[in-house]
Amino acid sequence: MLRTAKEATASKSVDVALEAIGAERLLAMYRIMVLSRALDERMWIVQRQGKVPFVITAQGQEAAQVGAAMALRPGHDVVLPYYRDMTLMLALGMTPRELMLNVFSRAEDPNSGGRQMPAHFSLPRLRVLTGSSPVGTQIPHAAGAALASRLRGEDSVTFCSFGEGATSTGDFHEGVNFAAVLQLPVIFFCQNNRYAISVPQRRQMAVESVAARAAAYGIEGVSVDGQDPVAVYQVVSQAVERARAGAGPTLIEAVTYRYVPHTSDDDDRVYRSRDEVDQSRRRDPIPLLRDRLVEAGLWDDAREQALREEVARIVDDATAYAEQAPPPDPATVARHLFAEPAAES
Ligand SMILES: Cc1ncc(C[n+]2csc(CCOP(=O)(O)OP(=O)(O)O)c2C)c(N)n1
């Protein structure tokens, strides 16, 4: 069954939505989005300075990610993110230093000790499972993780994130179908940013909405404005409730846009016009949320200034910390590939 976010939130007005989420959570969302954007911009700068080889980041998709993360229980629910999920990771509890250590491929990087490509997140304390580079491989993994949770009698849900390009893979079909047949407690969260690298949505699928694909599996499908973190929070919260109640998986499509090239190795000018990017920036989720906060009497220029200063300090600290941190010792190259026997006593 396909619903739109408008229907999903029924006739609730913005005020009711703000009330539902609470001022504290709304302010926390804004802080994370601003911090994520600032970290993201710094990552591109250090890449262009030649200090790190590669970045792949979240600019434009912050609202979708923070809205989803806030609906989850960090460290309890199982999360299978994809490479564009920096804001999601920040909102779950990965620190700015940890994110920068990852980009600098340092030994202290908690994701892989500097071995994996950047943005291949993995963090046991947050139950974030490591993923592979082929897109969509985390989708059947998520079905398996949700089945494991059920067999263990846990009440956790599994949250799995990916782009719309990933929904054109065989792994998407196998993972979603398996989860649907077993009615597993899993949320499939698609961030539809309209492009799979250079390929626009219309050239990768014949449906207009990724959420429409849910019908083929007999599960709930919801399309939501990915630039609105409150709407995303509500839709993901409903999916979490459904999963916990034993009502099975949900496929959520958060419609969004990527403001920067696919990666630092991409030149997006060859496949999309500047006009299109500029147009989409008019719905930049950060000023959109700031306007709502101001309207609700929760924000003003002084608070904005204080936040910008705090964020600049955090980004400077994370960058300096990661830059001076030592690289991995080549002698440990095979660590994390195999289980290591406990030392003999
Ligand atoms: C199976 C597979 N095919 C191709 C690639 C190359 N590739 C890496 S990212 C990407 C785009 C994926 O697009 P989407 O899922 O929409 O996510 P987005 O990067 O747009 O957020 C592609 C084609 C890959 N990694 N794996």
Side-chain angles (χ1 to χ4, degrees), residues 111-146:
N111 297 281
S112 72
R115 288 151 173 78
Q116 258 276 37
M117 279 180 88
H120 287 52
F121 300 112
S122 167
L123 201 58
R125 75 167 191 267
L126 293 174
R127 304 194 87 189
V128 172
L129 304 192
T130 193
S132 309
S133 288
V135 297
T137 43
Q138 72 274 33
I139 300 169
H141 294 171

Side-chain angles (χ1 to χ4, degrees), residues 10-323:
S11 59
K12 287 179 184 169
S13 69
V14 171
D15 286 349
V16 176
L18 293 186
E19 221 168 87
I21 194 167
E24 203 179 308
R25 199 172 257 151
L26 206 58
L27 289 165
M29 277 180 168
Y30 183 64
R31 181 179 176 279
I32 287 165
M33 287 166 65
V34 171
L35 176 57
S36 179
R37 181 70 62 89
L39 273 167
D40 195 317
E41 287 170 351
R42 180 64 61 85
M43 286 174 184
W44 281 82
I45 290 171
V46 293
Q47 197 281 333
R48 296 306 192 220
Q49 288 173 333
K51 292 178 176 177
V52 308
F54 178 83
V55 295
I56 180 161
T57 65
Q59 282 181 54
Q61 300 182 207
E62 293 94 342
Q65 296 180 18
V66 78
M70 291 258 179
L72 302 173
R73 293 179 293 179
H76 186 83
D77 294 324
V78 179
V79 179
L80 294 94
Y82 84 124
Y83 47 77
R84 214 169 289 293
D85 275 331
M86 176 165 94
T87 319
L88 179 91
M89 293 304 299
L90 256 184
L92 290 173
M94 182 170 271
T95 68
R97 280 189 178 187
E98 288 174 330
L99 284 163
M100 274 295 180
L101 285 163
N102 176 244
V103 164
F104 276 84
S105 304
R106 299 310 197 206
E108 208 189 324
D109 162 31
N111 297 281
S112 72
R115 288 151 173 78
Q116 258 276 37
M117 279 180 88
H120 287 52
F121 300 112
S122 167
L123 201 58
R125 75 167 191 267
L126 293 174
R127 304 194 87 189
V128 172
L129 304 192
T130 193
S132 309
S133 288
V135 297
T137 43
Q138 72 274 33
I139 300 169
H141 294 171
L147 178 58
S149 297
R150 175 188 285 171
L151 293 174
R152 289 172 174 165
E154 294 178 359
D155 80 334
S156 57
V157 304
T158 295
F159 176 86
C160 179
S161 178
F162 44 87
E164 84 291 341
T167 70
S168 303
T169 67
D171 276 333
F172 174 82
H173 169 69
E174 293 177 29
V176 176
N177 189 58
F178 186 76
V181 169
L182 296 187
Q183 289 283 284
L184 295 173
V186 54
I187 296 155
F188 296 111
F189 187 72
C190 175
Q191 294 173 54
N192 181 356
N193 64 15
R194 329 282 177 90
Y195 289 88
I197 313 183
S198 57
V199 182
Q201 182 184 342
R202 68 178 185 283
R203 297 196 60 194
Q204 17 160 342
M205 62 187 78
V207 286
E208 266 183 35
S209 162
V210 169
R213 295 190 152 178
Y217 302 97
I219 64 170
E220 188 84 8
V222 187
S223 188
V224 63
D225 177 3
Q227 306 308 82
D228 179 348
V230 178
V232 175
Y233 169 81
Q234 289 181 313
V235 165
V236 177
S237 297
Q238 287 162 7
V240 167
E241 274 171 35
R242 241 192 326 269
R244 285 208 183 105
T250 305
L251 172 63
I252 297 169
E253 172 191 35
V255 179
T256 183
Y257 198 83
R258 144 170 80 70
Y259 293 153
V260 286
H262 174 69
T263 71
S264 51
D265 287 347
D266 176 40
D267 181 356
D268 64 331
R269 290 170 302 185
V270 300
Y271 58 83
R272 57 183 190 178
S273 71
R274 292 307 86 191
D275 222 39
E276 179 185 306
V277 180
D278 292 345
Q279 284 286 337
S280 73
R281 278 189 185 273
R282 291 193 188 166
R283 295 206 70 240
D284 185 328
I286 294 178
L288 281 183
L289 181 56
R290 182 166 56 235
D291 289 349
R292 285 169 93 174
L293 291 173
V294 170
E295 209 177 299
L298 295 169
W299 206 246
D300 56 27
D301 287 348
R303 285 181 202 164
E304 179 71 18
Q305 178 69 19
L307 176 63
R308 296 280 166 182
E309 284 168 16
E310 183 209 350
V311 159
R313 278 195 301 275
I314 294 171
V315 173
D316 283 348
D317 167 80
T319 311
Y321 185 86
E323 199 167 353

